[in-house]
Amino acid sequence: MDYNEKVMDHFLNPRNTGRIENPDGVGEVGNPKCGDVMKIYINVKGNTISEITFETFGCAAAIATSSVATELVEGKSIQQAFNLRNKDIIDYLGGLPVAKLHCSVLAEQGIKAAISDFYKKQGIDPEVVLFNTK
Ligand code: FES
């Protein structure tokens, strides 16, 4: 698989790995096709993602994109984090092999799941806050 240097760097030296004990939110997502699984942990201060870590049992692209996603989101507002798209992660990495583009979706979904969990833990419907739909 032809990964560029930046992808290899994040794969070999992933940032923000591990778990947060008693996190404010946790999201677990999986890719049913390959069976890879990712967990994202967040702590929130005010309206900001103050801390974010991940555990990924998956391919090199899944690990590299998790690592980048945590970097892009740390210190950002909840809404900004929720709006992160897998395309933003791919752009930041300078591209992924076509066969690996789908792996970056896990990181986007994992962050969304962790944010939803954060609201649910407080008895708040995440849809109302994040989409203003109800
Ligand atoms: Fe499963 Fe990459 S092959 S996430």
Side-chain angles (χ1 to χ4, degrees):
M1 195 58 67
D2 227 358
Y3 291 120
N4 70 31
E5 246 175 62
K6 212 165 181 179
V7 177
M8 285 308 291
D9 176 39
H10 276 274
F11 167 52
L12 294 173
N13 310 293
R15 323 316 190 240
N16 305 314
T17 54
R19 70 181 62 182
I20 298 173
E21 293 305 326
N22 303 315
D24 292 332
V26 57
E28 180 168 353
V29 289
N31 181 330
K33 274 195 187 153
C34 61
D36 289 349
V37 178
M38 178 185 299
K39 264 188 175 180
I40 299 269
Y41 302 84
I42 56 169
N43 275 336
V44 176
K45 272 212 181 94
N47 188 36
T48 300
I49 306 284
S50 57
E51 197 179 354
I52 176 164
T53 65
F54 76 93
E55 291 177 311
T56 294
F57 304 95
C59 70
I63 290 168
T65 52
S66 313
S67 169
V68 164
T70 61
E71 278 201 333
L72 289 175
V73 153
E74 189 163 29
K76 297 276 165 44
S77 73
I78 294 175
Q79 194 68 52
Q80 282 174 316
F82 194 82
N83 288 341
L84 182 78
R85 296 283 172 269
N86 71 314
K87 189 182 172 308
D88 304 325
I89 302 166
I90 294 166
D91 287 350
Y92 182 87
L93 279 170
L96 278 175
V98 176
K100 289 284 163 184
L101 291 176
H102 70 95
C103 309
S104 61
V105 176
L106 274 187
E108 178 190 322
Q109 290 175 336
I111 289 171
K112 285 183 166 57
I115 292 172
S116 294
D117 183 55
F118 163 70
Y119 284 120
K120 278 185 207 150
K121 276 190 171 136
Q122 302 168 69
I124 298 169
D125 182 347
E127 300 240 334
V128 177
V129 198
L130 296 162
F131 302 112
N132 262 329
T133 51
K134 287 179 190 167

